Amino acid sequence: MTRRRVTTQLSMVLALCLLGVTTRANIAADDGVRAFQRSVDEYLALRHRLEPTLPPLAMSSDPQRIHDAVESRAAAIRQARAHQRAGEMFNPAVTGLFRRRIQDAVSKSGDAIERVLQQIHDHDARRERPAVNGRFSWRTAVATPASILSLLPALPDELQYRFVGRDLALVDTDADLVIDVLPDALAAPPRSGRE
């Protein structure tokens, strides 16, 4: 066998090995997304089971009435999900995928992401890290840019992805409740050598 032929065969074997690794990674990512979507569906089913016992969320000129309805929802959901821990919805297979997709969006759309990073920096002094079943603070959260949302699985109207610092929170908007947290979803920018 010639050296060139051996090199070509080795290259083909390496390419097939890499393809196998990539395929396994894609399968794991797909399984992770399906598990995430199942978790979202299960959460919505829980909400629908609880709905008849909760005060309605309705337009009102009385802010206290709205606050009480939101708090009642949060308390009921919290009680029903008391066993939930971080990472049960953002499962291990999907966390790496989400982080890669978010980083990809950051690297491709500098302007919008730069504004998000600035908002995150502005809120850093006032924010607490989000916790599963914790109250969600709309004051210190940052809207998720469309460039990132387009790379993540779509959510039903009741839920939103929101950045709290560099963490990505999954939020129940009707209960102001953190459903799950993906810590450090937004990678820190590389440090410049001028510091």
Side-chain angles (χ1 to χ4, degrees):
M1 245 190 242
T2 66
R3 175 182 243 156
R4 181 179 210 168
R5 191 172 192 190
V6 169
T7 303
T8 302
Q9 287 177 343
L10 286 174
S11 296
M12 288 174 37
V13 168
L14 179 60
L16 288 173
C17 289
L18 290 174
L19 179 62
V21 168
T22 303
T23 301
R24 282 191 298 277
N26 288 341
I27 290 169
D30 290 345
D31 288 346
V33 170
R34 278 192 291 279
F36 173 77
Q37 290 172 326
R38 258 192 321 275
S39 295
V40 167
D41 291 343
E42 289 167 4
Y43 176 78
L44 290 178
L46 169 72
R47 274 192 72 196
H48 292 294
R49 281 194 307 274
L50 294 173
E51 196 70 36
T53 67
L54 302 174
L57 279 178
M59 296 293 283
S60 173
S61 58
D62 181 4
Q64 188 62 47
R65 175 181 266 174
I66 295 170
H67 177 268
D68 291 348
V70 169
E71 287 300 313
S72 292
R73 286 174 175 277
I77 294 168
R78 229 181 248 118
Q79 182 176 7
R81 301 179 77 241
H83 64 282
Q84 290 292 133
R85 300 292 171 253
E88 291 186 21
M89 292 181 83
F90 287 131
N91 61 75
V94 88
T95 57
L97 176 68
F98 280 21
R99 285 185 179 121
R100 284 189 304 278
R101 287 181 176 180
I102 291 167
Q103 195 55 45
D104 187 47
V106 168
S107 65
K108 288 181 180 172
S109 59
D111 250 6
I113 300 300
E114 208 42 57
R115 285 192 298 276
V116 169
L117 291 172
Q118 183 59 46
Q119 288 176 331
I120 287 171
H121 177 73
D122 291 346
H123 293 307
D124 266 350
R126 299 190 310 252
R127 77 171 175 88
E128 291 181 27
R129 287 196 94 155
V132 173
N133 285 338
R135 189 172 227 296
F136 181 71
S137 170
W138 294 98
R139 288 188 318 256
T140 59
V142 177
T144 307
S147 59
I148 291 176
L149 287 176
S150 68
L151 299 175
L152 299 177
L155 294 173
D157 292 340
E158 298 90 343
L159 303 178
Q160 287 185 12
Y161 298 109
R162 287 289 175 141
F163 281 106
V164 181
R166 296 190 176 284
D167 302 336
L168 184 66
L170 183 60
V171 180
D172 183 318
T173 58
D174 293 339
D176 291 344
L177 190 68
V178 176
I179 304 306
D180 204 355
V181 180
L182 176 55
D184 300 315
L186 192 58
R191 293 182 165 270
S192 67
R194 291 180 268 170
E195 292 180 36

